[in-house]
Amino acid sequence: MTQTVSLMQLPVAMGNLDAYIQTAQRFPLLSDEEEKALARRFRDDNDLDAARDLVLSHLRVVIAIARGYLGYGLPHADLIQEGNIGLMKAVKRFDPERGVRLVSFAIHWIKAEIHEYIVKNWRLVKVATTKAQRKLFFNLRSMKPGSETLTPEQANEVAATLGVKPEEVVEMETRLTGHDLALEGNPDDEEGRLAPIATLADSRLEPTRVLEAREEERLHSEGLHTALSTLDPRSRRIIEARWLAEDGGATLHDLAAEFSVSAERIRQIEAKALKSLRGVLAA
């Protein structure tokens, strides 16, 4: 269906969403016989125009289904686009000989694609990884008796119905009822209010942290100095020139010329010296 997607030239649910919905509503519904004829042309002859007509006649179905997922805070246009992908997958797999209308067959594929998109992109959902958790995620809203927080008894009932743990129901409800907070604030805010991020303390500047960092740096420096003192003069010179020089370090060939040996010999000395340093520093 990848080729079909590229050739169909479907209307895109971006920009003016109202105009897209009006356009989608203009495509005529198909009779049972028309639907079967188009499906057979696509199945038997790979007729992309037939597949396009099947998709266009069901765009309104995708719009209606996508509207039911607006409560998750994702753009309606994005939900429609994902649903359209599911619709095209359904058209590719549709068998007109089974006596089932395309709309009934396509609903599963449309919802599956939208579900996958929501789970991957919704700002709070990272827990819905198992099949049971995904079922909980998509059914908890409709199963709640009201807008109030679930009581322990209600949470137990939902858990029993969906086959999950009561604590998972409580956690998911917390996620669904939570709200994002923009740390950076609104750049167009003219009232001069501080953004939440401005009130957060930088733990790196906390006095004890600063002292700990300085002490750690001192110990590291002293430890490195002690470790270097265990090397022979040539090895120490190579390590300092290769790893501790402020100008970016000497090359193997530079040091080979300095000690009148091959670059490979300098590499061997360097490797042995580094191994020795690691041993001393780890002790």
Side-chain angles (χ1 to χ4, degrees), residues 95-192:
D95 183 355
E97 313 305 338
R98 289 194 175 184
V100 177
R101 294 298 300 267
L102 175 58
V103 64
S104 301
F105 179 75
I107 286 175
H108 163 76
W109 290 96
I110 295 169
K111 288 186 175 181
E113 208 67 30
I114 293 176
H115 286 189
E116 189 69 22
Y117 172 73
I118 292 174
V119 169
K120 286 183 178 179
N121 294 278
W122 196 48
R123 58 186 179 274
L124 296 177
V125 178
K126 299 300 178 186
V127 70
T129 54
T130 68
K131 183 176 181 180
Q133 289 170 339
R134 288 162 69 96
K135 186 176 181 181
L136 169 61
F137 173 59
F138 287 108
N139 288 276
L140 182 57
R141 289 177 185 270
S142 60
M143 294 184 69
K144 288 183 64 174
S147 59
E148 301 297 325
T149 302
L150 290 174
T151 65
E153 293 76 15
Q154 291 171 334
N156 289 334
E157 291 177 4
V158 173
T161 302
L162 298 178
V164 297
K165 298 177 181 179
E167 52 267 30
E168 291 180 318
V169 174
V170 174
E171 180 181 1
M172 186 63 72
E173 182 185 31
T174 301
R175 288 174 175 267
L176 289 172
T177 56
H179 299 283
D180 286 344
L181 178 63
L183 290 178
E184 298 292 344
N186 184 357
D188 298 325
D189 189 354
E190 299 179 355
E191 297 183 12

XYZ file of all heavy atoms in Angstrom, residues 95-192:
780
model
N -11.220 -7.976 1.865
C -11.661 -9.030 0.952
C -13.151 -8.849 0.680
O -13.981 -9.072 1.569
C -11.406 -10.405 1.591
C -11.775 -11.548 0.641
O -12.297 -11.271 -0.449
O -11.546 -12.714 1.013
N -13.518 -8.443 -0.532
C -14.936 -8.165 -0.837
C -15.802 -9.417 -0.851
O -17.029 -9.319 -0.914
C -14.872 -7.519 -2.224
C -13.617 -8.054 -2.831
C -12.648 -8.212 -1.700
N -15.187 -10.597 -0.807
C -15.970 -11.828 -0.902
C -16.439 -12.333 0.467
O -17.141 -13.345 0.533
C -15.138 -12.927 -1.588
C -14.421 -12.489 -2.853
C -15.342 -11.882 -3.897
O -16.562 -12.152 -3.870
O -14.846 -11.107 -4.750
N -16.047 -11.676 1.535
C -16.393 -12.177 2.869
C -17.757 -11.692 3.358
O -18.176 -12.045 4.458
C -15.315 -11.764 3.873
C -14.003 -12.514 3.665
C -13.083 -12.351 4.834
N -11.879 -13.164 4.689
C -10.933 -13.257 5.611
N -11.055 -12.587 6.750
N -9.876 -14.023 5.411
N -18.424 -10.864 2.600
C -19.750 -10.412 2.983
C -19.773 -9.372 4.082
O -20.791 -9.197 4.753
N -18.657 -8.695 4.301
C -18.556 -7.647 5.321
C -18.277 -6.319 4.636
O -17.435 -6.254 3.724
C -17.430 -7.968 6.332
C -17.293 -6.840 7.351
C -17.683 -9.289 7.016
N -18.967 -5.282 5.049
C -18.722 -3.958 4.472
C -17.373 -3.426 4.921
O -16.891 -3.710 6.021
C -19.835 -2.983 4.865
C -21.202 -3.300 4.290
C -21.195 -3.249 2.756
N -20.812 -1.950 2.222
C -21.682 -0.988 1.905
N -22.985 -1.187 2.065
N -21.252 0.140 1.402
N -16.758 -2.627 4.075
C -15.449 -2.080 4.363
C -15.447 -1.262 5.651
O -14.485 -1.309 6.429
C -14.973 -1.211 3.193
C -13.651 -0.469 3.394
C -12.514 -1.429 3.695
C -13.322 0.371 2.147
N -16.503 -0.516 5.920
C -16.528 0.330 7.102
C -16.382 -0.504 8.369
O -15.673 -0.118 9.316
C -17.812 1.185 7.138
C -19.061 0.305 7.261
C -17.758 2.180 8.295
N -17.034 -1.663 8.407
C -16.937 -2.521 9.588
C -15.535 -3.086 9.742
O -15.006 -3.203 10.861
C -17.947 -3.673 9.492
O -19.259 -3.174 9.398
N -14.920 -3.442 8.625
C -13.573 -3.996 8.641
C -12.539 -2.931 8.976
O -11.550 -3.191 9.675
C -13.274 -4.618 7.273
C -11.902 -5.212 7.154
C -11.599 -6.416 7.764
C -10.917 -4.575 6.419
C -10.329 -6.975 7.648
C -9.647 -5.117 6.296
C -9.358 -6.326 6.916
N -12.760 -1.708 8.493
C -11.755 -0.652 8.622
C -11.694 -0.047 10.024
O -10.659 0.493 10.413
C -12.026 0.447 7.602
N -12.781 -0.105 10.768
C -12.806 0.522 12.092
C -11.664 0.014 12.968
O -11.002 0.781 13.671
C -14.176 0.291 12.773
C -15.233 1.179 12.125
C -14.100 0.571 14.274
C -16.643 0.936 12.637
N -11.426 -1.291 12.945
C -10.345 -1.862 13.751
C -9.002 -1.255 13.367
O -8.209 -0.862 14.231
C -10.296 -3.377 13.559
C -9.004 -3.991 14.010
N -8.690 -4.187 15.338
C -7.915 -4.422 13.292
C -7.482 -4.726 15.424
N -6.993 -4.873 14.208
N -8.728 -1.167 12.067
C -7.437 -0.660 11.610
C -7.273 0.828 11.906
O -6.182 1.291 12.261
C -7.297 -0.918 10.108
C -7.143 -2.372 9.807
C -8.128 -3.247 9.450
C -5.942 -3.139 9.879
N -7.608 -4.503 9.279
C -6.275 -4.474 9.533
C -4.616 -2.824 10.180
C -5.324 -5.488 9.493
C -3.662 -3.836 10.138
C -4.019 -5.156 9.801
N -8.359 1.572 11.758
C -8.300 3.017 12.044
C -8.001 3.248 13.524
O -7.106 4.027 13.885
C -9.635 3.691 11.656
C -9.855 3.599 10.144
C -9.660 5.141 12.119
C -11.253 3.989 9.705
N -8.732 2.560 14.391
C -8.517 2.721 15.832
C -7.127 2.247 16.249
O -6.482 2.868 17.093
C -9.593 1.965 16.607
C -10.967 2.608 16.554
C -11.940 1.866 17.460
C -13.296 2.570 17.513
N -14.237 1.868 18.406
N -6.681 1.153 15.681
C -5.364 0.620 16.044
C -4.261 1.619 15.730
O -3.330 1.821 16.527
C -5.115 -0.695 15.306
N -4.366 2.276 14.577
C -3.332 3.244 14.189
C -3.381 4.475 15.093
O -2.335 5.014 15.492
C -3.545 3.648 12.730
C -2.288 4.060 12.007
C -1.316 2.920 11.796
O -1.758 1.756 11.676
O -0.095 3.205 11.746
N -4.581 4.929 15.428
C -4.716 6.080 16.325
C -4.220 5.724 17.722
O -3.528 6.521 18.376
C -6.178 6.564 16.369
C -6.579 7.147 15.005
C -6.373 7.611 17.461
C -8.033 7.570 14.922
N -4.568 4.533 18.200
C -4.087 4.097 19.512
C -2.564 4.117 19.564
O -1.963 4.591 20.535
C -4.589 2.679 19.810
C -6.042 2.626 20.164
N -6.643 1.488 20.640
C -7.019 3.556 20.119
C -7.929 1.725 20.868
N -8.173 2.976 20.546
N -1.940 3.569 18.526
C -0.478 3.503 18.494
C 0.122 4.905 18.523
O 1.112 5.162 19.225
C -0.037 2.775 17.225
C 1.446 2.457 17.180
C 1.849 1.409 18.201
O 0.966 0.638 18.653
O 3.040 1.367 18.548
N -0.485 5.816 17.788
C 0.009 7.194 17.751
C -0.110 7.861 19.118
O 0.813 8.540 19.580
C -0.782 7.986 16.706
C -0.500 9.469 16.716
C 0.697 9.969 16.222
C -1.432 10.373 17.232
C 0.958 11.326 16.229
C -1.177 11.724 17.242
C 0.020 12.194 16.738
O 0.282 13.542 16.768
N -1.237 7.661 19.782
C -1.448 8.284 21.090
C -0.460 7.747 22.107
O 0.164 8.501 22.859
C -2.895 8.055 21.573
C -3.879 8.833 20.689
C -3.057 8.485 23.029
C -5.338 8.560 20.995
N -0.281 6.444 22.140
C 0.623 5.839 23.112
C 2.059 6.321 22.902
O 2.801 6.544 23.852
C 0.559 4.302 23.026
C 1.671 3.654 23.824
C -0.780 3.807 23.539
N 2.448 6.538 21.644
C 3.818 6.973 21.357
C 4.026 8.457 21.614
O 5.134 8.889 21.921
C 4.164 6.668 19.897
C 4.409 5.198 19.621
C 4.810 5.002 18.161
C 5.112 3.539 17.870
N 5.487 3.318 16.456
N 2.974 9.243 21.497
C 3.169 10.696 21.499
C 2.491 11.444 22.637
O 2.827 12.610 22.868
C 2.658 11.291 20.172
C 3.468 10.839 18.986
O 4.523 11.379 18.702
N 2.982 9.823 18.302
N 1.550 10.826 23.332
C 0.862 11.592 24.365
C 1.837 11.947 25.468
O 2.629 11.128 25.905
C -0.330 10.809 24.924
C -1.280 11.690 25.686
C -1.799 12.875 25.311
C -1.816 11.416 26.981
N -2.641 13.373 26.264
C -2.666 12.496 27.315
C -1.672 10.375 27.888
C -3.361 12.562 28.511
C -2.365 10.443 29.077
C -3.203 11.524 29.377
N 1.785 13.156 25.954
C 2.820 13.700 26.821
C 2.965 12.975 28.153
O 4.009 13.040 28.786
C 2.531 15.181 27.083
C 1.168 15.445 27.725
C 0.869 16.933 27.817
N -0.420 17.197 28.409
C -1.561 17.234 27.738
N -1.541 17.004 26.452
N -2.701 17.485 28.332
N 1.941 12.300 28.617
C 2.013 11.679 29.941
C 2.096 10.164 29.887
O 2.422 9.540 30.885
C 0.770 12.068 30.772
C 0.614 13.544 31.100
C -0.686 13.773 31.844
C 1.781 14.033 31.941
N 1.770 9.570 28.755
C 1.636 8.113 28.725
C 2.966 7.460 28.388
O 3.412 7.519 27.266
C 0.582 7.675 27.708
C 0.489 6.161 27.653
C -0.757 8.248 28.096
N 3.590 6.870 29.388
C 4.764 6.056 29.180
C 4.578 4.703 29.860
O 5.416 3.831 29.759
C 6.008 6.742 29.763
C 6.312 8.086 29.137
C 6.560 7.990 27.653
C 6.806 9.344 27.018
N 6.898 9.274 25.562
N 3.462 4.557 30.565
C 3.221 3.332 31.316
C 2.446 2.311 30.503
O 2.474 1.124 30.790
C 2.458 3.643 32.624
C 1.036 4.058 32.330
C 2.458 2.442 33.577
N 1.748 2.740 29.456
C 0.874 1.832 28.707
C 1.693 0.981 27.744
O 1.690 1.200 26.540
C -0.188 2.624 27.960
N 2.418 0.010 28.275
C 3.287 -0.808 27.452
C 2.720 -2.201 27.220
O 2.916 -2.778 26.168
C 4.669 -0.921 28.094
O 4.511 -1.394 29.447
C 5.361 0.428 28.132
N 2.016 -2.758 28.192
C 1.440 -4.074 28.004
C 0.038 -3.940 27.406
O -0.560 -2.868 27.413
C 1.346 -4.828 29.336
O 0.378 -4.174 30.176
C 2.689 -4.834 30.048
N -0.473 -5.047 26.905
C -1.803 -5.039 26.295
C -2.852 -4.634 27.321
O -3.776 -3.856 27.029
C -2.115 -6.419 25.735
C -3.454 -6.503 25.014
C -3.664 -7.879 24.405
C -4.990 -7.956 23.673
N -5.208 -9.300 23.083
N -2.723 -5.142 28.569
C -3.689 -4.819 29.619
C -3.627 -3.339 29.984
O -4.656 -2.689 30.205
C -3.422 -5.673 30.856
N -2.427 -2.780 30.045
C -2.279 -1.364 30.385
C -2.827 -0.471 29.277
O -3.419 0.578 29.544
C -0.808 -1.053 30.651
C -0.295 -1.654 31.950
C 1.210 -1.538 32.077
O 1.926 -1.375 31.088
N 1.706 -1.626 33.292
N -2.626 -0.875 28.024
C -3.173 -0.093 26.917
C -4.699 -0.119 26.966
O -5.359 0.890 26.707
C -2.672 -0.655 25.586
C -1.207 -0.363 25.316
C -0.669 -1.295 24.251
N -1.246 -1.007 22.959
C -0.657 -0.238 22.041
N 0.498 0.318 22.302
N -1.230 -0.035 20.879
N -5.259 -1.275 27.314
C -6.708 -1.386 27.442
C -7.204 -0.477 28.555
O -8.234 0.205 28.424
C -7.088 -2.834 27.735
C -8.587 -3.097 27.740
C -8.862 -4.578 27.937
C -10.370 -4.867 27.915
N -10.661 -6.303 28.118
N -6.457 -0.427 29.653
C -6.812 0.447 30.773
C -6.751 1.904 30.338
O -7.655 2.696 30.627
C -5.855 0.196 31.936
C -5.891 1.189 33.109
C -7.266 1.195 33.755
C -4.815 0.832 34.136
N -5.701 2.264 29.611
C -5.516 3.639 29.173
C -6.685 4.130 28.337
O -7.191 5.237 28.513
C -4.201 3.724 28.390
C -3.961 5.053 27.723
C -3.899 6.215 28.466
C -3.792 5.144 26.359
C -3.670 7.438 27.869
C -3.568 6.353 25.748
C -3.501 7.504 26.512
N -7.135 3.297 27.404
C -8.180 3.722 26.468
C -9.596 3.512 26.989
O -10.547 3.929 26.348
C -8.003 2.997 25.131
C -6.834 3.497 24.338
C -5.700 2.724 24.200
C -6.859 4.755 23.757
C -4.607 3.186 23.476
C -5.776 5.229 23.042
C -4.647 4.437 22.896
N -9.760 2.854 28.131
C -11.107 2.598 28.638
C -11.418 3.262 29.977
O -12.587 3.329 30.367
C -11.344 1.083 28.785
C -11.504 0.395 27.444
O -12.580 0.374 26.867
N -10.414 -0.164 26.955
N -10.395 3.758 30.662
C -10.620 4.285 32.007
C -11.560 5.477 32.009
O -12.429 5.605 32.869
C -9.281 4.667 32.656
C -9.363 5.191 34.084
C -10.044 4.168 34.997
C -7.975 5.513 34.630
N -11.412 6.369 31.029
C -12.270 7.562 30.992
C -13.749 7.177 30.931
O -14.582 7.724 31.653
C -11.915 8.434 29.786
C -10.581 9.153 29.880
C -10.322 9.926 28.597
N -9.005 10.545 28.586
C -8.749 11.756 29.038
N -9.720 12.477 29.569
N -7.538 12.255 28.987
N -14.072 6.258 30.044
C -15.478 5.899 29.868
C -16.014 5.066 31.026
O -17.226 5.054 31.279
C -15.651 5.118 28.557
O -14.878 3.932 28.577
N -15.128 4.391 31.761
C -15.575 3.534 32.849
C -15.758 4.290 34.162
O -16.398 3.789 35.090
C -14.583 2.389 33.056
C -14.525 1.410 31.888
S -13.440 0.007 32.200
C -14.378 -0.842 33.476
N -15.200 5.493 34.243
C -15.367 6.275 35.471
C -16.811 6.746 35.593
O -17.380 7.263 34.623
C -14.425 7.486 35.462
C -12.962 7.131 35.657
C -12.088 8.367 35.704
C -12.426 9.238 36.895
N -11.515 10.382 37.054
N -17.423 6.609 36.758
C -18.816 7.014 36.922
C -19.029 8.521 36.879
O -20.135 8.996 36.675
C -19.181 6.440 38.298
C -17.875 6.331 39.016
C -16.856 5.992 37.976
N -17.984 9.279 37.094
C -18.102 10.739 37.074
C -16.737 11.365 36.951
O -15.752 10.701 36.636
N -16.665 12.651 37.200
C -15.392 13.353 37.082
C -14.565 13.276 38.359
O -13.404 13.681 38.371
C -15.638 14.827 36.724
O -16.444 15.457 37.720
N -15.157 12.780 39.437
C -14.443 12.697 40.702
C -13.415 11.566 40.667
O -13.506 10.627 39.865
C -15.433 12.458 41.855
C -16.493 13.548 42.006
C -15.867 14.897 42.355
O -14.854 14.884 43.084
O -16.381 15.923 41.897
N -12.447 11.662 41.584
C -11.431 10.623 41.687
C -12.066 9.300 42.112
O -12.979 9.270 42.934
C -10.359 11.025 42.723
O -9.783 12.280 42.329
C -9.265 9.977 42.824
N -11.589 8.218 41.542
C -12.122 6.908 41.869
C -11.904 6.565 43.341
O -10.843 6.836 43.898
C -11.444 5.833 41.010
C -11.772 5.809 39.523
C -10.889 4.783 38.815
C -13.235 5.482 39.288
N -12.910 5.985 43.954
C -12.749 5.466 45.313
C -12.010 4.136 45.224
O -11.917 3.529 44.154
C -14.114 5.248 45.964
O -14.806 4.208 45.246
C -14.955 6.518 45.946
N -11.456 3.647 46.342
C -10.779 2.345 46.312
C -11.674 1.239 45.780
O -11.211 0.358 45.048
C -10.411 2.130 47.783
C -10.253 3.517 48.333
C -11.300 4.330 47.643
N -12.962 1.273 46.151
C -13.879 0.237 45.671
C -14.057 0.327 44.156
O -14.065 -0.691 43.450
C -15.243 0.378 46.365
C -15.228 0.075 47.861
C -14.623 1.211 48.685
O -14.484 2.338 48.128
O -14.271 0.970 49.853
N -14.200 1.558 43.632
C -14.360 1.737 42.191
C -13.092 1.317 41.439
O -13.166 0.706 40.374
C -14.704 3.195 41.887
C -16.084 3.614 42.369
C -16.306 5.111 42.251
O -15.344 5.900 42.283
N -17.564 5.530 42.113
N -11.937 1.642 42.007
C -10.677 1.246 41.384
C -10.554 -0.269 41.317
O -10.088 -0.827 40.320
C -9.495 1.839 42.157
N -11.001 -0.945 42.378
C -10.973 -2.411 42.391
C -11.898 -2.987 41.322
O -11.569 -3.979 40.666
C -11.370 -2.936 43.766
C -10.307 -2.679 44.828
O -9.124 -2.567 44.500
N -10.719 -2.592 46.079
N -13.063 -2.362 41.149
C -14.009 -2.841 40.139
C -13.437 -2.685 38.727
O -13.538 -3.596 37.896
C -15.326 -2.060 40.259
C -16.114 -2.361 41.532
C -17.372 -1.512 41.626
O -17.644 -0.757 40.677
O -18.072 -1.605 42.654
N -12.830 -1.528 38.456
C -12.232 -1.298 37.142
C -11.094 -2.285 36.906
O -10.953 -2.861 35.821
C -11.715 0.150 37.027
C -10.925 0.333 35.722
C -12.869 1.141 37.083
N -10.275 -2.501 37.939
C -9.147 -3.426 37.818
C -9.625 -4.834 37.501
O -9.050 -5.527 36.652
C -8.333 -3.415 39.112
N -10.685 -5.259 38.180
C -11.215 -6.603 37.945
C -11.774 -6.740 36.535
O -11.605 -7.768 35.876
C -12.298 -6.919 38.984
N -12.440 -5.694 36.057
C -13.034 -5.737 34.722
C -11.975 -5.800 33.626
O -12.120 -6.529 32.639
C -13.930 -4.506 34.490
O -14.951 -4.468 35.497
C -14.571 -4.543 33.111
N -10.888 -5.038 33.795
C -9.875 -4.933 32.750
C -8.690 -5.865 32.952
O -7.779 -5.913 32.118
C -9.372 -3.483 32.655
C -10.433 -2.442 32.277
C -9.825 -1.052 32.253
C -11.049 -2.778 30.923
N -8.671 -6.586 34.076
C -7.600 -7.544 34.300
C -6.263 -6.919 34.628
O -5.214 -7.388 34.185
N -6.291 -5.822 35.398
C -5.049 -5.179 35.835
C -5.074 -5.031 37.348
O -6.071 -5.334 38.003
C -4.883 -3.779 35.177
C -4.772 -3.911 33.674
C -6.053 -2.863 35.544
N -3.987 -4.539 37.911
C -3.906 -4.344 39.350
C -4.576 -3.027 39.738
O -4.523 -2.055 38.975
C -2.447 -4.321 39.804
C -1.700 -5.616 39.526
C -0.247 -5.491 39.947
C 0.514 -6.780 39.643
N 1.943 -6.664 40.021
N -5.207 -2.970 40.941
C -5.836 -1.720 41.380
C -4.867 -0.545 41.410
O -5.233 0.588 41.064
C -6.346 -2.069 42.789
C -6.550 -3.544 42.749
C -5.460 -4.091 41.874
N -3.609 -0.814 41.817
C -2.638 0.286 41.857
C -2.325 0.822 40.466
O -1.992 1.999 40.301
C -1.345 -0.145 42.553
C -0.721 -1.418 42.027
C -1.168 -2.649 42.798
O -2.303 -2.659 43.311
O -0.356 -3.596 42.894
N -2.448 -0.027 39.434
C -2.247 0.445 38.060
C -3.391 1.352 37.636
O -3.184 2.316 36.891
C -2.136 -0.741 37.108
C -0.863 -1.549 37.279
C -0.775 -2.724 36.329
O -1.807 -3.396 36.137
O 0.316 -2.965 35.780
N -4.587 1.036 38.110
C -5.744 1.894 37.818
C -5.533 3.267 38.452
O -5.760 4.302 37.808
C -7.044 1.258 38.352
C -8.220 2.222 38.174
C -7.331 -0.060 37.649
N -5.091 3.297 39.694
C -4.869 4.558 40.398
C -3.770 5.363 39.706
O -3.889 6.584 39.507
C -4.491 4.289 41.869
C -4.120 5.596 42.567
C -5.649 3.608 42.599
N -2.681 4.687 39.316
C -1.576 5.383 38.653
C -2.017 5.966 37.315
O -1.685 7.101 36.976
C -0.402 4.433 38.445
C 0.791 5.102 37.762
C 1.940 4.140 37.531
O 1.811 2.953 37.879
O 2.972 4.582 36.995
N -2.778 5.179 36.553
C -3.227 5.661 35.251
C -4.190 6.828 35.408
O -4.144 7.798 34.632
C -3.894 4.523 34.466
C -4.268 4.923 33.041
S -2.832 5.335 32.026
C -2.126 3.703 31.771
N -5.060 6.766 36.402
C -5.984 7.873 36.623
C -5.212 9.147 36.966
O -5.553 10.242 36.517
C -6.955 7.534 37.748
C -7.977 8.653 37.972
C -8.882 8.402 39.167
O -8.437 7.759 40.128
O -10.028 8.874 39.146
N -4.164 9.003 37.765
C -3.333 10.158 38.123
C -2.716 10.773 36.880
O -2.672 11.998 36.715
C -2.231 9.734 39.104
O -2.832 9.172 40.273
C -1.376 10.932 39.501
N -2.251 9.931 35.977
C -1.645 10.436 34.749
C -2.676 11.121 33.855
O -2.417 12.174 33.270
C -0.995 9.286 33.976
C 0.284 8.772 34.623
C 0.797 7.537 33.897
N 2.074 7.117 34.447
C 3.255 7.508 33.955
N 3.299 8.319 32.924
N 4.374 7.100 34.506
N -3.850 10.523 33.773
C -4.883 11.077 32.896
C -5.421 12.406 33.404
O -5.861 13.246 32.622
C -6.029 10.078 32.746
C -5.727 8.824 31.919
C -6.872 7.831 32.018
C -5.482 9.200 30.469
N -5.435 12.586 34.708
C -5.983 13.816 35.272
C -4.918 14.866 35.532
O -5.222 15.967 35.958
C -6.721 13.526 36.592
O -5.823 12.869 37.513
C -7.923 12.636 36.356
N -3.651 14.532 35.276
C -2.577 15.492 35.501
C -2.533 16.525 34.401
O -3.132 16.384 33.336
N -1.801 17.564 34.626
C -1.678 18.645 33.645
C -0.209 19.007 33.490
O 0.564 18.982 34.445
C -2.450 19.901 34.093
C -3.921 19.660 34.247
N -4.783 19.577 33.177
C -4.677 19.455 35.358
C -6.011 19.356 33.612
N -5.971 19.275 34.934
N 0.183 19.327 32.269
C 1.537 19.789 32.005
C 1.714 21.229 32.481
O 0.785 22.026 32.436
C 1.839 19.743 30.512
C 2.044 18.316 30.043
O 2.256 17.449 30.898
O 1.986 18.091 28.824
N 2.924 21.546 32.888
C 3.261 22.904 33.291
C 4.434 23.368 32.445
O 5.485 22.718 32.418
C 3.650 22.931 34.782
C 4.085 24.292 35.344
C 2.940 25.289 35.268
C 4.581 24.145 36.768
N 4.252 24.465 31.734
C 5.320 24.983 30.888
C 6.363 25.676 31.749
O 6.110 26.742 32.314
C 4.747 25.959 29.855
N 7.535 25.080 31.874
C 8.580 25.656 32.719
C 9.097 26.969 32.169
O 9.489 27.864 32.919
C 9.740 24.668 32.863
C 9.469 23.418 33.701
C 10.699 22.522 33.710
C 9.079 23.785 35.120
N 9.119 27.097 30.848
C 9.692 28.296 30.248
C 8.728 29.476 30.271
O 9.126 30.609 30.030
C 10.095 28.015 28.796
C 11.158 26.931 28.660
C 12.491 27.371 29.219
O 12.663 28.578 29.423
O 13.353 26.510 29.433
N 7.462 29.239 30.530
C 6.498 30.329 30.549
C 6.104 30.752 29.144
O 6.518 30.169 28.149
N 5.298 31.777 29.060
C 4.828 32.291 27.776
C 5.683 33.481 27.355
O 5.711 34.520 28.037
C 3.361 32.721 27.899
C 2.783 33.177 26.567
O 3.503 33.218 25.564
N 1.507 33.506 26.564
N 6.417 33.377 26.237
C 7.285 34.493 25.818
C 6.509 35.760 25.477
O 7.083 36.838 25.449
C 7.996 33.926 24.578
C 7.101 32.836 24.077
C 6.467 32.249 25.307
N 5.193 35.629 25.229
C 4.384 36.804 24.890
C 3.724 37.438 26.115
O 2.931 38.360 25.982
C 3.298 36.409 23.888
C 3.885 35.897 22.582
O 4.949 36.423 22.190
O 3.300 34.983 21.981
N 4.039 36.895 27.287
C 3.446 37.429 28.511
C 4.000 38.815 28.785
O 5.203 38.987 29.015
C 3.763 36.494 29.686
C 2.985 36.873 30.947
O 2.307 37.923 30.925
O 3.067 36.133 31.940
N 3.130 39.831 28.764
C 3.577 41.214 28.940
C 3.501 41.680 30.396
O 3.844 42.804 30.709
C 2.722 42.142 28.060
C 2.836 41.838 26.571
C 1.962 42.756 25.743
O 1.205 43.542 26.363
O 2.042 42.688 24.503
N 3.040 40.808 31.280
C 2.889 41.225 32.668
C 4.176 41.044 33.473
O 4.234 41.380 34.642
C 1.756 40.433 33.328
C 0.404 40.699 32.676
C -0.709 39.958 33.400
O -0.438 39.457 34.513
O -1.822 39.886 32.868
N 5.194 40.463 32.837
C 6.480 40.347 33.510
C 6.523 39.301 34.601
O 7.387 39.347 35.468
